[in-house]
Amino acid sequence: MVPSTVDALAAERSKAQFDIAEMNRFIVDEKTRVKTAKIERILAAEPEMFNLRNVYFMSRKEKLDHALKIGVRLIELMREGKLTSEEVSYADFILDINGPFGLHRAMFIPTLQSQATPEQQELFLKPALNYEILGCYAQTEIGHGSNVQGLETTCTYIPETDEFDVHTPNIRACKWWVGSLGISATHAMVMAQLIVNGKSHGPSPIVVPIRSTVDHTPMSGVTVGDIGPKFGFNTMDNGFLMLDHVRVPRVNLMQRYISVSREGKVSRPSNVDPKVTYGTMMLVRAEIARNMCSVLARATTIALRYTSVRRQFAGISDKPLTSKTESPVLDYSMVQYRLIPLLAQNYAMFGVAQVYSELYEECMREMDRGNFGLLKELHATTCGLKRWTSDVTIRGIDTCRHVCGGHGFSQFSGLNEFFGNAYPNIIWEGDNYVLSQQTSRFLITQIRNLRKGKPVADNQTTQYLQKHLVDGRLAQVPQPAFVGRSIESLVADPEVQLDLLSYRAAIMASELVDQMDEHGQSWNRSLVDMQRLCDAHSDYIVALYFRCHIATLPRSSPLLPVLNKIAALLFLYILEQHSSDLFRLPGRAAFTNAQVNRIEKMLANFIEEVREQAIPLVDAFGMSDLRLNSALGRSDGRVYEDYLQWAMEDPLNTDDTGKAIRKEWFEKYYKPVMHSAETSKKAAKL
Amino acid sequence: MVPSTVDALAAERSKAQFDIAEMNRFIVDEKTRVKTAKIERILAAEPEMFNLRNVYFMSRKEKLDHALKIGVRLIELMREGKLTSEEVSYADFILDINGPFGLHRAMFIPTLQSQATPEQQELFLKPALNYEILGCYAQTEIGHGSNVQGLETTCTYIPETDEFDVHTPNIRACKWWVGSLGISATHAMVMAQLIVNGKSHGPSPIVVPIRSTVDHTPMSGVTVGDIGPKFGFNTMDNGFLMLDHVRVPRVNLMQRYISVSREGKVSRPSNVDPKVTYGTMMLVRAEIARNMCSVLARATTIALRYTSVRRQFAGISDKPLTSKTESPVLDYSMVQYRLIPLLAQNYAMFGVAQVYSELYEECMREMDRGNFGLLKELHATTCGLKRWTSDVTIRGIDTCRHVCGGHGFSQFSGLNEFFGNAYPNIIWEGDNYVLSQQTSRFLITQIRNLRKGKPVADNQTTQYLQKHLVDGRLAQVPQPAFVGRSIESLVADPEVQLDLLSYRAAIMASELVDQMDEHGQSWNRSLVDMQRLCDAHSDYIVALYFRCHIATLPRSSPLLPVLNKIAALLFLYILEQHSSDLFRLPGRAAFTNAQVNRIEKMLANFIEEVREQAIPLVDAFGMSDLRLNSALGRSDGRVYEDYLQWAMEDPLNTDDTGKAIRKEWFEKYYKPVMHSAETSKKAAKL
């Protein structure tokens, strides 16, 4: 007798060797837990409004309409005092509906807060906070993405009228991708090259009214619209904007960090806060790195629950098909190998999010005190973590979809609409490949400084470079701590694990600097090495932060056994994935074939062990059914019943809409094809 | 002065060191070229009908409608004698519109052709060929994918009425994913467990009428519908089907390979053609492996053209931003590293398609003569190639999208709708992970036979196993030919390259059998090794077939220099991607750090060289603009102009539809939000 999917999931759950709620409290910080619970309560109270079940059936237009409806309701809830602005943004994240008011909150208002003078705040920020004007942040141009300095839109001071002339000089300068611009915004914060008296002063933000607040028609000289359908994110009205010598008053230029006087004198305050340049970039990337853990958790929850109830073949033994009861696909080692290390990475990411947040707060506090020593290292690490977490997440969602087989391809898996929405995280805020240069550049600079005997700031990165290198160079001594140790003893000792992971990054960095400085390898030719270096550094940081997070538990915690297993598994997985790096370590540090074989065997053992706790472990992520929006990942295991039911709800199938559609198609297409053949055949017979 | 994208692409094209048309004739076989040209001519003659430009704006319903309209027109063209049935299927492939009549042609008719008796062909095949009935092939069940033996739908013989009772006993047995079933089919070829006199005879195909040919309403006892929206393939009406004791006449059971008499006697002809079991599976997988080259070509053409005109930063030198003219992103080594080896794989795949086709034909001819010696090896190799080509293609399209940056995320890139449609190739006809077992099982069996001294058939696989192993085991002699050779000399010698690639696979296979047979490693525990083994075997086969294809050119051919470079690049790339395998080769064959460093350097050099010919090389694929359906990949380089124009055509933007939509949303959503704030503020002021 084949157990039902409901019973199979319950059986998995009953295997828990730890308290699921306790684990949830450990891995998700209190603030997030409270916020999530509050929002989900409010959403659940209005199931008609916040229904996500129909999203998979919607056209682009219907999605935008749905997002607008939800967006307006959330603003109402805010006005009623039931949600804060921050909670509204988090509700968007939970619903995975990035609506047309999103960038007003995420970019337009923050820019006004940080770059407007008090007078300008009165003029723009106040109505923005009241949603009397709707804003967007227009930086990217169709021909210019990452390179802000290369933007071509101009704003030229016209002393005669005390105005700026904001202009799109050619098609490459057409603003593009700007969120909330396509349909919604009445005002755009335009990044434009500031030109005063014929002299260029670099890109500066300036407020340009683009649509009437009275009837929403475009202002004179403004060409604006939606950039069209995308791979995901279709609830957002990303837009384009071309300005034909549009005039705005001088006060519209954000004047906190640069100001233009009535006479056309340009001045900058001398005490520009470095937080403005590094800080805001870092803030957004930090947010991505911190969010990815719960994005990935959505996918791992669905995939692990589904593969533990999905059965295919009776193939666990050497003789497939001898038994009649098929095996859960999660019992196949190949499925485990694809999902369990991903689960370990996901656990690590939750730890990283918490430890990183503390470091970030500390760095901000230090900067407020005038100490910028942590800033550059944290910036480099943030770039690496943004890349690491978003890469793992996007590849991970794809793995989760694929491991669900055909059903992963259905929208009702919950993994596809969601994949499209999550995908831009590897592109925006610094494409992951470009971003690797930021991290590597920092490591390279530190090594060059060490080699020149220059002083370096004291931080996690310079610590390991100094530990493993002598004056920035490879040396016979000190011998790293892992040399001569068995894999078993490595697995038992977190300190030595970190020693190995940081040694790998230090050697890679040192060898890259050798290539560049001693063998003339150009920067461009070094880009492939740089991304490997960035990943090696990030592997170490992830392992380090994860261990730091686990170390906050009391030694008697019942959560420790499984968490230590997960951390060891992650360590072995990093080694196994990069075994080539291990063979290439210098001198006695180089791994042997036997050691790498041992790593693979031990990894397989750990995977088998952690698989046993897989369902309790994903339950501990605390992903609600609302958020999963998936037939395959349902917490009650009613997979196929719900999947079929959901299909029945398709507008093509239902009695109210489907019947008419199908009748129309029958008359228009099927009948002519089928009956014309018959008719012509009958005619031929006569 | 920045060159226009049009000029930039023309400049790339002018660098061609070979004749593009000549290359096209070499890499695309004549049959395909002629067929493609004919179909594209017919499609171009009806631009209104076969317009693809609006597809990206369509809802699911509109896509189905569009696909039906096109499907009907193609049938008309067939009836007018302008297209053959095969050409109609190929037109679907070119248009990338898999319409509701697709499975009627691809599965229903072929099953009738191979498994129906002459009487049954009269009854079902004739009207099917005339499109008087519309069919589908209902095998997969919601709870059963790959495991055909495990299907639960039953067809039970009822001697009293000389009928079969076809029945869905539980929800797991609900037919699912069946193409052309959701809306279209009037008849389903249902795979059901044949039960006669209480005895089960395994899954057999039986024709079940499911919708009226008169008015298309479902027959009594039939629950049928569309399974809903998917990640791609949304022009296809994949459907579900549940049968509640539906009775059909005995003649509806396909009786060529199994027959049930009026008295309920079950018999099978003794001379079942093995082609029926192996052959049809192989046919479909072979078709996938052969098609992937042109699927991938679509993506590489778009990405290489676009990255050669897209400019970002002036960062080729060590000092970015000193020059004002930004560099084409294809000049960055990291972009080259992601695209140029993919281009090489793409070229190899075109060669593989041609060489494989000849082997396939030969195998079929031999089987007709009663010689089945090639069948099992070709089946194993086919599984490996299906996996290799579809993996490279799907990951490759994703890489192409990502390398286009933000614009890759737009539907107008042409890479997204297309990605979704191509994606199922890694899942269907044997999921790529499951399929690796087929290839590995064959290798394992051959080694076991060799070890036992049993005779093995003579084929490409057993040849290399016997060359590199002694009686199926690793031995000191013979030393493989590549040992002691420099990387330079390897690169110059195709024979030795193949020697190394086959050695890698032979060693891996032998070590896996050691683990299984001497160290008790279970089949399940060996699955990860099996997929690596499958890939190593396929790497060798791909390199071998590619070299065979190149070898068909005369030694004076002007195409040879660039093709030899591409083949060497592919070889180096395989080594670089699997350097860990090289370190792990036994004894003197093991690679050193210095050798692997040399491989990386030489690979980088080859990538730089082939990059210079990248645009001519993709031009030679002969992908028409119609087929690319991409703003970024246009052959004329008018990228941004077309991209903007396409966005302007979005129904949200146009005057005829967009104005009304935007007005509606303003009244419904924006105005209440903006004006209520104002109103309440004014009220507060009073």
Side-chain angles (χ1 to χ4, degrees):
Chain A
M1 186 59 198
V2 185
S4 75
T5 54
V6 171
D7 293 343
L9 197 63
E12 289 286 346
R13 212 161 257 147
S14 71
K15 291 195 280 186
Q17 289 164 356
F18 57 89
D19 183 74
I20 290 171
E22 187 182 352
M23 183 65 91
N24 177 255
R25 283 191 302 273
F26 172 64
I27 57 174
V28 184
D29 65 281
E30 194 185 351
K31 205 181 137 198
T32 305
R33 264 184 294 123
V34 170
K35 189 164 63 179
T36 305
K38 177 182 168 186
I39 293 166
E40 291 196 342
R41 209 164 44 237
I42 287 176
L43 300 179
E46 299 180 40
E48 283 291 307
M49 172 62 66
F50 298 110
N51 171 26
L52 294 177
R53 207 164 160 94
N54 290 328
V55 167
Y56 301 140
F57 300 126
M58 290 179 183
S59 68
R60 173 87 205 285
K61 187 194 147 195
E62 288 164 340
K63 275 181 196 166
L64 275 165
D65 192 297
H66 189 61
L68 276 164
K69 194 179 74 173
I70 285 180
V72 170
R73 180 62 192 138
L74 289 172
I75 292 170
E76 283 171 9
L77 284 166
M78 202 170 64
R79 287 177 173 166
E80 293 166 15
K82 291 186 183 149
L83 287 173
T84 66
S85 180
E86 189 207 335
E87 285 164 350
V88 167
S89 295
Y90 206 73
D92 283 355
F93 179 63
I94 286 181
L95 291 164
D96 198 18
I97 287 185
N98 298 279
F101 301 106
L103 276 293
H104 175 72
R105 276 188 291 271
M107 294 294 286
F108 187 66
I109 288 177
T111 308
L112 287 166
Q113 283 166 334
S114 68
Q115 303 206 40
T117 61
E119 178 202 1
Q120 292 178 313
Q121 296 204 344
E122 189 66 28
L123 208 56
F124 301 114
L125 179 59
K126 240 174 133 175
L129 289 171
N130 283 329
Y131 291 81
E132 288 163 51
I133 62 174
L134 301 173
C136 64
Y137 183 84
Q139 177 169 303
T140 304
E141 297 176 354
I142 198 170
H144 305 278
S146 312
N147 184 7
V148 180
Q149 297 304 317
L151 294 175
E152 296 187 73
T153 302
T154 53
C155 72
T156 309
Y157 184 54
I158 311 292
E160 291 74 11
T161 59
D162 195 19
E163 288 176 313
F164 284 104
D165 173 289
V166 197
H167 185 60
T168 307
N170 60 50
I171 193 170
R172 290 187 309 272
C174 176
K175 294 292 177 185
W176 202 266
W177 282 116
V178 181
S180 303
L181 168 66
I183 313 279
S184 310
T186 61
H187 288 67
M189 182 71 74
V190 174
M191 279 296 264
Q193 299 286 353
L194 175 62
I195 297 168
V196 183
N197 286 323
K199 189 166 172 274
S200 180
H201 296 268
S204 299
I206 184 166
V207 173
V208 180
I210 52 170
R211 286 189 183 95
S212 155
T213 55
V214 175
D215 65 4
H216 229 213
T217 51
M219 309 300 266
S220 167
V222 170
T223 305
V224 62
D226 188 279
I227 63 162
K230 296 147 291 186
F231 185 55
F233 237 70
N234 280 308
T235 48
M236 176 62 80
D237 57 328
N238 296 90
F240 63 83
L241 175 68
M242 285 180 291
L243 301 168
D244 183 12
H245 295 291
V246 170
R247 294 284 180 97
V248 299
R250 181 164 54 92
V251 71
N252 284 28
L253 183 79
M254 291 295 98
Q255 307 229 1
R256 188 133 153 207
Y257 297 107
I258 188 159
S259 71
V260 179
S261 73
R262 178 68 190 87
E263 296 73 34
K265 201 172 149 278
V266 178
S267 53
R268 293 174 196 265
S270 53
N271 57 339
V272 176
D273 187 343
K275 274 204 281 189
V276 173
T277 46
Y278 271 98
T280 35
M281 272 193 304
M282 206 158 85
L283 181 72
V284 186
R285 288 176 190 152
E287 202 54 30
I288 294 172
R290 277 188 294 213
N291 279 344
M292 286 300 107
C293 55
S294 58
V295 174
L296 180 57
R298 217 173 127 175
T300 50
T301 302
I302 294 170
L304 282 160
R305 283 185 184 158
Y306 180 59
T307 54
S308 71
V309 303
R310 170 73 169 179
R311 291 168 183 274
Q312 281 289 284
F313 293 109
I316 301 308
S317 77
D318 244 52
K319 303 246 179 301
L321 303 177
T322 46
S323 157
K324 275 277 172 191
T325 305
E326 295 184 304
S327 309
V329 295
L330 187 53
D331 282 350
Y332 290 94
S333 72
M334 194 60 227
V335 173
Q336 293 173 6
Y337 180 78
R338 292 152 77 194
L339 287 180
I340 304 297
L342 189 62
L343 177 65
Q345 289 173 318
N346 206 350
Y347 259 77
M349 282 159 65
F350 274 97
V352 167
Q354 291 203 41
V355 173
Y356 176 85
S357 291
E358 282 161 33
L359 288 169
Y360 183 83
E361 296 301 327
E362 188 192 339
C363 177
M364 293 298 136
R365 277 195 305 272
E366 288 297 312
M367 288 205 295
D368 286 341
R369 279 189 230 140
N371 172 12
F372 297 94
L374 299 172
L375 183 62
K376 283 194 176 170
E377 195 256 354
L378 196 62
H379 172 256
T381 288
T382 305
C383 292
L385 286 178
K386 184 270 186 185
R387 174 181 150 97
W388 195 97
T389 57
S390 60
D391 265 358
V392 167
T393 299
I394 297 305
R395 306 301 155 219
I397 300 172
D398 191 39
T399 297
C400 288
R401 166 179 44 217
H402 190 182
V403 91
C404 292
H407 297 329
F409 193 67
S410 164
Q411 289 288 23
F412 307 138
S413 71
L415 293 166
N416 296 317
E417 185 81 19
F418 163 53
F419 178 71
N421 292 343
Y423 196 88
N425 284 295
I426 59 173
I427 303 172
W428 60 29
E429 301 306 328
D431 180 274
N432 280 5
Y433 284 94
V434 179
L435 216 50
S436 64
Q437 293 182 57
Q438 302 281 341
T439 310
S440 295
R441 190 189 303 273
F442 178 76
L443 282 153
I444 291 165
T445 304
Q446 302 315 305
I447 289 198
R448 284 177 175 161
N449 286 341
L450 290 169
R451 289 187 179 187
K452 286 179 198 148
K454 283 190 191 170
V456 294
D458 180 42
N459 54 51
Q460 287 167 338
T461 307
T462 53
Q463 279 161 17
Y464 81 70
L465 292 177
Q466 288 176 296
K467 179 180 175 191
H468 296 304
L469 304 170
V470 175
D471 298 333
R473 287 175 199 279
L474 173 64
Q476 287 305 316
V477 280
Q479 193 74 261
F482 66 86
V483 173
R485 301 275 295 261
S486 72
I487 306 301
E488 282 77 359
S489 80
L490 282 185
V491 165
D493 188 339
E495 279 306 313
V496 190
Q497 289 169 25
L498 296 172
D499 187 67
L500 169 52
L501 293 176
S502 61
Y503 185 75
R504 168 177 163 238
I507 294 301
M508 227 182 248
S510 164
E511 285 177 352
L512 178 56
V513 176
D514 288 349
Q515 287 299 318
M516 296 177 81
D517 293 356
E518 285 160 31
H519 301 280
Q521 184 170 289
S522 70
W523 185 271
N524 187 25
R525 194 68 183 260
S526 305
L527 295 177
V528 177
D529 292 337
M530 280 186 208
Q531 55 119 6
R532 290 177 185 148
L533 173 57
C534 176
D535 288 340
H537 175 73
S538 302
D539 281 342
Y540 165 65
I541 294 289
V542 168
L544 174 69
Y545 290 7
F546 188 26
R547 284 295 185 184
C548 289
H549 185 228
I550 294 175
T552 61
L553 282 170
R555 296 185 63 170
S556 60
S557 167
L559 302 177
L560 276 177
V562 71
L563 286 169
N564 280 327
K565 255 182 218 168
I566 292 171
L569 191 158
L570 178 68
F571 168 70
L572 288 165
Y573 186 65
I574 293 171
L575 298 191
E576 188 250 17
Q577 289 289 295
H578 303 283
S579 59
S580 186
D581 291 350
L582 303 181
F583 285 119
R584 299 170 88 169
L585 291 177
R588 285 188 54 222
F591 275 55
T592 63
N593 211 338
Q595 284 175 300
V596 172
N597 284 334
R598 192 73 206 124
I599 288 168
E600 290 174 350
K601 293 267 181 255
M602 288 193 70
L603 174 62
N605 292 340
F606 272 94
I607 286 174
E608 270 187 13
E609 283 186 44
V610 173
R611 177 263 173 271
E612 289 305 305
Q613 296 295 299
I615 299 310
L617 285 168
V618 294
D619 281 351
F621 291 148
M623 288 286 134
S624 63
D625 282 333
L626 169 88
R627 206 163 167 184
L628 297 178
N629 205 24
S630 160
L632 307 187
R634 287 175 65 95
S635 57
D636 63 5
R638 283 187 71 255
V639 170
Y640 298 127
E641 293 81 355
D642 187 46
Y643 191 14
L644 177 61
Q645 173 58 31
W646 215 331
M648 300 263 199
E649 292 165 20
D650 191 312
L652 294 172
N653 292 328
T654 53
D655 274 352
D656 56 344
T657 55
K659 252 188 184 154
I661 298 169
R662 281 176 276 126
K663 188 167 159 43
E664 181 198 327
W665 286 344
F666 178 70
E667 297 295 334
K668 239 164 72 180
Y669 303 121
Y670 298 112
K671 194 170 152 186
V673 164
M674 292 198 290
H675 294 196
S676 80
E678 229 174 304
T679 317
S680 54
K681 201 178 60 176
K682 277 179 194 151
K685 272 187 190 161
L686 292 175
Chain B
M1 187 58 201
V2 185
S4 75
T5 53
V6 171
D7 293 343
L9 196 63
E12 289 286 344
R13 212 161 258 147
S14 71
K15 291 195 281 187
Q17 289 164 357
F18 56 90
D19 184 74
I20 290 170
E22 187 181 351
M23 183 66 91
N24 177 254
R25 284 191 301 274
F26 172 63
I27 57 173
V28 185
D29 66 281
E30 195 186 351
K31 203 181 139 199
T32 305
R33 263 185 294 121
V34 170
K35 188 165 63 177
T36 304
K38 177 182 167 188
I39 293 166
E40 291 196 343
R41 210 165 42 238
I42 288 175
L43 300 179
E46 300 180 41
E48 283 291 306
M49 172 62 67
F50 298 110
N51 171 27
L52 295 177
R53 207 165 160 93
N54 290 328
V55 166
Y56 302 140
F57 300 127
M58 290 178 183
S59 68
R60 173 88 206 285
K61 185 193 149 196
E62 288 164 341
K63 276 182 195 166
L64 275 165
D65 192 297
H66 190 59
L68 276 165
K69 193 178 74 174
I70 286 181
V72 170
R73 181 64 192 134
L74 289 171
I75 292 170
E76 284 169 10
L77 285 165
M78 202 170 65
R79 285 177 174 168
E80 292 165 16
K82 290 184 185 151
L83 286 173
T84 65
S85 179
E86 189 206 339
E87 285 163 350
V88 167
S89 295
Y90 206 73
D92 283 353
F93 179 63
I94 285 180
L95 292 163
D96 199 18
I97 287 184
N98 299 280
F101 301 106
L103 275 294
H104 176 72
R105 277 188 291 271
M107 294 294 287
F108 187 66
I109 288 176
T111 308
L112 288 167
Q113 284 166 333
S114 67
Q115 304 206 40
T117 61
E119 177 203 3
Q120 292 177 314
Q121 296 204 346
E122 188 66 29
L123 208 56
F124 301 114
L125 179 59
K126 241 176 134 176
L129 289 171
N130 282 329
Y131 291 82
E132 288 164 52
I133 62 174
L134 300 173
C136 64
Y137 183 84
Q139 178 170 303
T140 304
E141 297 175 355
I142 198 171
H144 305 278
S146 311
N147 184 8
V148 180
Q149 297 305 318
L151 295 174
E152 295 187 72
T153 302
T154 53
C155 72
T156 310
Y157 184 53
I158 311 290
E160 291 75 10
T161 59
D162 196 19
E163 287 176 314
F164 284 104
D165 172 287
V166 196
H167 185 60
T168 307
N170 60 49
I171 193 171
R172 290 188 309 271
C174 176
K175 293 292 178 186
W176 202 265
W177 282 114
V178 180
S180 302
L181 167 66
I183 313 278
S184 310
T186 61
H187 289 67
M189 183 71 74
V190 175
M191 280 295 264
Q193 298 288 352
L194 175 62
I195 297 168
V196 183
N197 286 326
K199 188 165 172 273
S200 180
H201 295 268
S204 299
I206 183 166
V207 174
V208 180
I210 52 170
R211 286 188 183 94
S212 154
T213 55
V214 175
D215 65 5
H216 229 214
T217 50
M219 310 300 266
S220 166
V222 170
T223 305
V224 62
D226 189 279
I227 63 161
K230 296 146 290 185
F231 185 55
F233 237 72
N234 280 307
T235 48
M236 176 62 80
D237 57 328
N238 296 89
F240 63 83
L241 176 68
M242 284 179 293
L243 302 169
D244 183 13
H245 293 291
V246 171
R247 294 285 180 97
V248 299
R250 183 164 52 91
V251 71
N252 285 29
L253 182 81
M254 292 294 99
Q255 307 227 359
R256 189 135 150 204
Y257 297 108
I258 189 159
S259 70
V260 179
S261 72
R262 179 66 189 88
E263 296 73 34
K265 201 169 149 278
V266 179
S267 54
R268 294 172 195 267
S270 53
N271 58 339
V272 174
D273 187 344
K275 275 205 281 189
V276 174
T277 45
Y278 271 98
T280 35
M281 273 193 301
M282 204 158 86
L283 181 72
V284 186
R285 289 176 190 151
E287 202 55 28
I288 294 172
R290 279 188 292 213
N291 279 344
M292 285 300 108
C293 55
S294 59
V295 174
L296 179 58
R298 216 173 129 176
T300 51
T301 302
I302 293 169
L304 282 160
R305 283 185 183 158
Y306 180 60
T307 53
S308 71
V309 303
R310 170 73 169 180
R311 289 168 184 274
Q312 280 290 281
F313 294 109
I316 301 308
S317 77
D318 245 52
K319 303 245 181 302
L321 302 177
T322 48
S323 156
K324 275 279 173 191
T325 305
E326 296 183 303
S327 309
V329 296
L330 188 53
D331 282 351
Y332 291 93
S333 72
M334 194 60 227
V335 173
Q336 292 174 7
Y337 179 77
R338 291 152 77 194
L339 287 180
I340 304 297
L342 189 63
L343 176 64
Q345 289 172 319
N346 206 161
Y347 260 77
M349 281 159 66
F350 274 97
V352 167
Q354 290 202 40
V355 174
Y356 175 85
S357 291
E358 283 161 33
L359 288 170
Y360 182 83
E361 296 301 327
E362 189 192 338
C363 177
M364 292 298 136
R365 278 195 305 273
E366 287 299 311
M367 288 205 295
D368 285 341
R369 277 189 232 140
N371 172 11
F372 297 93
L374 299 172
L375 182 62
K376 284 192 175 172
E377 195 255 354
L378 195 63
H379 172 255
T381 288
T382 306
C383 292
L385 286 178
K386 184 271 185 184
R387 173 180 150 100
W388 195 98
T389 56
S390 60
D391 265 358
V392 167
T393 299
I394 296 306
R395 306 302 155 219
I397 300 172
D398 191 40
T399 296
C400 288
R401 165 176 47 213
H402 190 182
V403 90
C404 292
H407 298 329
F409 193 66
S410 164
Q411 288 288 23
F412 308 138
S413 70
L415 293 166
N416 296 318
E417 185 80 20
F418 162 53
F419 178 70
N421 292 343
Y423 196 88
N425 284 295
I426 59 173
I427 303 172
W428 60 29
E429 300 306 328
D431 180 274
N432 280 5
Y433 284 94
V434 179
L435 216 49
S436 64
Q437 293 182 56
Q438 303 281 339
T439 310
S440 294
R441 190 190 303 273
F442 178 77
L443 282 153
I444 291 166
T445 304
Q446 302 315 305
I447 290 199
R448 284 178 175 160
N449 286 341
L450 290 169
R451 289 187 179 187
K452 286 180 199 147
K454 283 191 192 170
V456 293
D458 180 41
N459 53 53
Q460 286 166 339
T461 306
T462 53
Q463 278 160 17
Y464 81 69
L465 292 177
Q466 287 176 297
K467 179 180 175 191
H468 296 304
L469 304 172
V470 175
D471 297 333
R473 289 175 196 278
L474 173 64
Q476 288 306 316
V477 281
Q479 194 74 260
F482 66 87
V483 173
R485 301 274 296 261
S486 71
I487 307 299
E488 282 78 358
S489 80
L490 280 186
V491 166
D493 189 339
E495 279 306 314
V496 190
Q497 290 169 25
L498 295 173
D499 187 66
L500 168 52
L501 293 177
S502 60
Y503 186 74
R504 168 179 164 237
I507 294 300
M508 226 181 250
S510 162
E511 285 176 352
L512 178 56
V513 176
D514 288 349
Q515 287 300 318
M516 297 176 79
D517 293 355
E518 285 160 31
H519 302 282
Q521 184 170 287
S522 70
W523 185 271
N524 187 27
R525 194 69 183 259
S526 305
L527 295 176
V528 177
D529 292 338
M530 280 187 207
Q531 54 119 7
R532 289 178 185 148
L533 173 58
C534 176
D535 288 340
H537 174 73
S538 302
D539 281 342
Y540 165 67
I541 294 289
V542 167
L544 174 70
Y545 289 7
F546 189 26
R547 284 295 184 183
C548 289
H549 185 227
I550 295 175
T552 61
L553 282 169
R555 295 187 63 170
S556 59
S557 167
L559 302 178
L560 275 178
V562 70
L563 286 170
N564 280 326
K565 255 182 219 168
I566 292 171
L569 192 159
L570 178 68
F571 168 69
L572 288 165
Y573 185 65
I574 294 170
L575 298 191
E576 189 249 16
Q577 289 290 296
H578 303 284
S579 59
S580 188
D581 290 350
L582 303 181
F583 285 119
R584 299 171 89 167
L585 292 177
R588 287 188 55 224
F591 275 54
T592 64
N593 212 338
Q595 284 175 301
V596 172
N597 284 334
R598 192 75 207 122
I599 288 168
E600 290 174 351
K601 294 267 181 253
M602 290 193 69
L603 174 62
N605 292 340
F606 272 94
I607 286 175
E608 270 187 14
E609 283 186 45
V610 173
R611 176 263 173 269
E612 289 306 305
Q613 295 296 300
I615 300 308
L617 285 168
V618 294
D619 281 351
F621 291 148
M623 288 286 134
S624 63
D625 281 335
L626 170 89
R627 205 162 166 184
L628 297 178
N629 204 23
S630 161
L632 307 186
R634 287 174 67 94
S635 57
D636 63 5
R638 284 187 71 256
V639 170
Y640 297 128
E641 293 81 355
D642 187 45
Y643 191 14
L644 177 60
Q645 173 59 34
W646 215 330
M648 300 260 198
E649 293 166 18
D650 191 311
L652 294 172
N653 292 327
T654 52
D655 274 351
D656 56 344
T657 55
K659 252 187 185 158
I661 297 169
R662 281 177 276 127
K663 190 168 158 40
E664 180 198 326
W665 285 344
F666 178 70
E667 297 294 336
K668 238 164 75 180
Y669 302 121
Y670 299 113
K671 194 169 151 187
V673 163
M674 293 199 288
H675 294 195
S676 79
E678 230 174 302
T679 318
S680 54
K681 201 179 58 175
K682 276 180 197 155
K685 272 185 191 163
L686 290 175

